Amino acid sequence: QKEVEQNSGPLSVPEGAIASLNCTYSDRVSQSFFWYRQYSGKSPELIMSIYSNGDKEDGRFTAQLNKASQYVSLLIRDSQPSDSATYLCAVRGLTGGGNKLTFGTGTQLKVEL
Amino acid sequence: DTAVSQTPKYLVTQMGNDKSIKCEQNLGHDTMYWYKQDSKKFLKIMFSYNNKELIINETVPNRFSPKSPDKAHLNLHINSLELGDSAVYFCASSQGPTSSYEQYFGPGTRLTVT
């Protein structure tokens, strides 16, 4: 079982729709959860972090965390073509002194006109 | 006002050569990292330093040797390069080593071994 799992996609949504990206993780003691966006040929860019159960909203982005189900998701409202990218879920557990960030393989999002 | 910078951006070299990649951050962060992203876009941590001390050393060949001369710099030296070393190498930094600190990535170095 992979430590952090994501559907590789591509996930295609029409412009203006809600894009829902999902991530599951295997380490129950994971502490911190992050969503990174990576455009083709570019570096990962942090867009959301979440540390406690529930929802966290930032503009058009909402991160949702359910530690009991070991599940974290990212919702993108009013999707725009500029949101087309690969979204990486990252989880930080207690290994490496709580320093190690484990990434999923990413979900490719395509927002179509 | 680049936060995390890497040099070179592209590196093309032949098998068997030795090469180095350099990273610098001006964020005042204490912790720096090296990641490898393979052709399938899987991003995996290789090393981490906190205040010049090695704190994460994942299972990588010992041909890879990181060095941190000070907490703003982290270099990666690779000996006897192999075809499988071709990847994008990202440097990152965070304020500290513990769980809630967010990591910020450099632009990456695309290494191609021929």
Side-chain angles (χ1 to χ4, degrees):
Chain A
Q1 181 187 6
K2 291 180 182 177
E3 294 181 64
V4 180
E5 293 208 51
Q6 296 180 256
N7 187 323
S8 62
L11 172 66
S12 294
V13 300
E15 184 178 7
I18 296 175
S20 178
L21 305 163
N22 304 316
C23 172
T24 58
Y25 58 95
S26 60
D27 186 354
R28 285 195 166 275
V29 298
S30 295
Q31 300 289 303
S32 310
F33 307 86
F34 305 89
W35 284 98
Y36 285 81
R37 177 176 62 199
Q38 187 174 24
Y39 292 113
S40 182
K42 301 295 184 182
S43 59
E45 173 193 9
L46 180 67
I47 54 172
M48 288 286 288
S49 59
I50 187 166
Y51 307 107
S52 54
N53 280 329
D55 294 0
K56 179 181 177 183
E57 187 174 319
D58 184 0
R60 295 187 296 112
F61 299 99
T62 299
Q64 299 175 318
L65 175 61
N66 184 326
K67 289 187 178 181
S69 300
Q70 295 174 237
Y71 175 92
V72 58
S73 65
L74 180 70
L75 300 178
I76 306 174
R77 290 181 298 281
D78 188 23
S79 294
Q80 301 297 310
S82 59
D83 295 326
S84 298
T86 297
Y87 289 79
L88 302 171
C89 173
V91 175
R92 178 175 269 155
L94 294 179
T95 55
N99 195 23
K100 180 181 172 183
L101 203 59
T102 301
F103 283 84
T105 51
T107 297
Q108 185 183 4
L109 174 65
K110 292 185 176 180
V111 180
E112 299 167 334
L113 294 170
Chain B
D1 58 345
T2 304
V4 183
S5 59
Q6 295 178 230
T7 54
K9 188 167 184 179
Y10 300 96
L11 185 53
V12 181
T13 188
Q14 291 183 328
M15 282 194 302
N17 285 346
D18 304 338
K19 291 293 178 185
S20 291
I21 307 171
K22 296 186 176 182
C23 178
E24 177 180 1
Q25 55 93 4
N26 62 5
L27 296 167
H29 288 169
D30 287 340
T31 311
M32 296 183 73
Y33 312 80
W34 278 114
Y35 286 87
K36 178 181 179 181
Q37 189 169 45
D38 60 24
S39 57
K40 295 184 179 179
K41 306 301 182 186
F42 182 54
L43 191 63
K44 185 170 172 56
I45 191 165
M46 301 173 68
F47 303 103
S48 177
Y49 274 76
N50 183 56
N51 275 325
K52 304 193 294 177
E53 179 184 349
L54 183 66
I55 56 172
I56 291 179
N57 185 356
E58 290 292 287
T59 308
V60 299
N62 57 15
R63 299 181 294 104
F64 290 79
S65 53
K67 284 189 180 171
S68 181
D70 56 60
K71 71 177 190 178
H73 295 84
L74 180 62
N75 304 322
L76 183 66
H77 188 75
I78 315 170
N79 289 325
S80 303
L81 279 155
E82 300 178 356
L83 292 176
D85 297 333
S86 296
V88 180
Y89 292 84
F90 287 103
C91 176
S93 73
S94 64
Q95 187 175 348
T98 56
S99 62
S100 62
Y101 292 117
E102 300 162 352
Q103 295 185 17
Y104 296 89
F105 284 78
T109 296
R110 182 174 294 276
L111 171 65
T112 303
V113 183
T114 61

